[in-house]
């Protein structure tokens, strides 16, 4: 509710402060909203999502908002304490990325269009032990990338939902490929092909 109030206030023509659960404008007492907004076991899914969007530019899909808010609630229930914005961000990164230094780091990639409307995907991926050259075909960028990864991990990699792993990049295609790589455990590629 509070987050919807902030959004409504941005578009409001009146100057009245009408934010649910936040009785005064934090600026009126020399604070920013982080100083007065607390994340605890009673916090809703939109609260955690709003904090991540405002502070880190991430717009979480609804299903991820629901799952992540349950993690926040569980964490605060277990500790008996509120979470700071930094702790919320740390928990998010721990669960979904983005990682400071990805275990499987996309260095470079390129695609080629094939005659049958399929894509040939080439990628250079750095792992803790070595740099790999991946190659795969698919009917789109991510299916080709998944097939390239499958050829190295030895098990089929199926994309069911592209909203569950996170990567940040100015290139949405590159971010999507890195997010796919972020789903792999640290030993997956090196372990099967060392």
């Amino acid at each position: 509710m509070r987050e919807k109030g902030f959004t409504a206030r941005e578009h409001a023509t009146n100057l009245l402060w009408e934010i649910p659960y936040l009785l005064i404008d934090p600026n009126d007492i020399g604070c920013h909203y982080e100083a007065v907004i607390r994340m605890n076991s009673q916090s809703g899914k939109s609260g955690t999502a709003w904090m991540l969007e405002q502070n880190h530019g991430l717009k979480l899909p609804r299903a991820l908002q629901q799952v992540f808010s349950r993690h926040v609630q569980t964490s605060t229930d277990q500790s008996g304490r509120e979470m700071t914005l930094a702790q919320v961000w740390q928990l998010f990164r721990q669960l979904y990325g983005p990682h400071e230094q990805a275990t499987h780091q996309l260095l470079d990639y390129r695609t080629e269009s094939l005659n049958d409307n399929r894509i040939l995907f080439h990628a250079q991926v750095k792992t803790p032990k070595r740099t790999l050259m991946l190659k795969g075909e698919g009917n789109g960028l991510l299916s080709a990338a998944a097939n390239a990864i499958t050829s190295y991990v030895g098990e089929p990699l199926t994309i069911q939902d592209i909203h569950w792993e996170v990567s940040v990049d100015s290139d949405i295609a590159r971010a999507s490929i890195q997010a796919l790589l972020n789903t792999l455990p640290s030993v997956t590629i090196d372990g099967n092909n060392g």
Side-chain angles (χ1 to χ4, degrees):
M1 290 295 288
R2 173 181 53 231
E3 296 72 30
K4 291 177 185 174
F6 273 112
T7 301
R9 182 163 172 75
E10 289 175 8
H11 304 292
T13 55
N14 68 19
L15 297 178
L16 294 177
W17 181 261
E18 296 176 340
I19 306 292
Y21 308 113
L22 194 56
L23 302 176
I24 63 170
D25 183 347
N27 290 322
D28 290 345
I29 57 172
C31 295
H32 198 262
Y33 65 90
E34 288 98 339
V36 293
I37 293 178
R38 302 286 185 243
M39 303 307 296
N40 59 36
S41 62
Q42 303 303 309
S43 297
K45 63 185 173 295
S46 60
T48 53
W50 186 82
M51 294 288 276
L52 291 174
E53 182 177 348
Q54 294 299 307
N55 294 280
H56 299 285
L58 299 178
K59 291 188 179 190
L60 305 184
R62 186 161 180 77
L64 184 53
Q65 288 179 20
Q66 293 170 339
V67 172
F68 183 59
S69 71
R70 285 194 293 271
H71 285 291
V72 170
Q73 290 169 347
T74 299
S75 179
T76 55
D77 277 343
Q78 289 173 350
S79 70
R81 298 178 182 203
E82 297 174 342
M83 292 181 80
T84 65
L85 173 60
Q87 291 168 326
V88 170
W89 177 236
Q90 180 181 0
L91 178 63
F92 183 82
R93 287 181 49 214
Q94 175 188 340
L95 294 169
Y96 306 106
H99 309 287
E100 290 296 324
Q101 189 65 272
T103 304
H104 300 95
Q105 184 180 4
L106 180 64
L107 298 177
D108 193 20
Y109 80 96
R110 65 182 173 85
T111 60
E112 299 174 36
S113 295
L114 301 175
N115 291 335
D116 58 356
N117 292 325
R118 293 175 59 80
I119 291 176
L120 180 59
F121 172 82
H122 302 268
Q124 187 177 15
V125 176
K126 181 180 177 187
T127 72
K129 293 183 181 178
R130 60 191 172 134
T131 298
L132 301 170
M133 300 304 292
L134 302 180
K135 181 179 176 182
E137 291 183 24
N139 61 359
L141 175 64
L142 291 183
S143 68
N147 288 334
I149 294 168
T150 293
S151 68
Y152 283 92
V153 297
E155 296 179 19
L157 180 63
T158 305
I159 300 172
Q160 295 180 354
D161 191 336
I162 61 170
H163 296 287
W164 293 99
E165 192 65 36
V166 177
S167 178
V168 177
D169 196 295
S170 58
D171 177 347
I172 192 167
R174 186 177 182 83
S176 298
I177 297 164
Q178 184 60 59
L180 186 59
L181 290 167
N182 289 349
T183 65
L184 300 174
S186 60
V187 296
T188 301
I189 292 179
D190 283 332
N192 288 344
N193 295 283

